[in-house]
Amino acid sequence: MRHRRDGERKVPKRALPVVPPTPTVKLTPTPAQPATAEPAFDATFDAMGQSCVELLLPMAKLVKGLATGAVLRIVTDDPAAREDLGAWCSMTGNELAFVDRKVGYATYYVRRGALS
């Protein structure tokens, strides 16, 4: 290495590795269902004004009466319903398929599992 007159060392130049250009991929957007679209359902349970304790037993009977894969629509204003329905679904083999929250109430869609 050579020293410059001002005391700094000159660093030898190194060749940078040659990276091949990445091929461009043209992405075409696919039409998607909007996140707020209400799924199809087979039965409705109106639980407005009921606490989760009051709605779980009649709702469970309705779900048992449905065919495997059928969806029950539940409308309630209970703020604890999301956690309670999710726990009930995981314990019974059903699926909490969709939740649509609105001001003052929410709509839950429970799909009957094969094991329930």
Side-chain angles (χ1 to χ4, degrees):
M1 280 190 243
R2 296 182 174 199
H3 291 281
R4 292 185 175 178
R5 290 184 191 174
D6 57 2
E8 291 183 22
R9 289 191 291 175
K10 184 177 180 184
V11 180
K13 292 183 179 179
R14 294 186 187 184
L16 294 175
V18 177
V19 179
T22 57
T24 57
V25 178
K26 187 175 182 180
L27 299 175
T28 56
T30 56
Q33 184 179 11
T36 59
E38 183 178 275
F41 56 92
D42 301 290
T44 300
F45 179 57
D46 184 5
M48 293 294 282
Q50 298 179 10
S51 68
C52 227
V53 174
E54 297 169 333
L55 74 90
L56 276 177
L57 290 176
M59 184 213 52
K61 288 180 183 177
L62 282 172
V63 171
K64 282 195 180 271
L66 296 174
T68 300
V71 176
L72 176 65
R73 176 180 177 240
I74 305 155
V75 182
T76 183
D77 56 354
D78 182 17
R82 169 69 178 99
E83 290 78 22
D84 292 342
L85 286 174
W88 179 82
C89 285
S90 64
M91 290 187 315
T92 59
N94 296 299
E95 175 192 0
L96 185 57
F98 188 77
V99 178
D100 184 18
R101 295 185 184 188
K102 302 286 184 186
V103 176
Y105 72 98
T107 306
Y108 302 92
Y109 296 85
V110 174
R111 182 174 289 114
R112 178 159 186 213
L115 300 176
S116 61

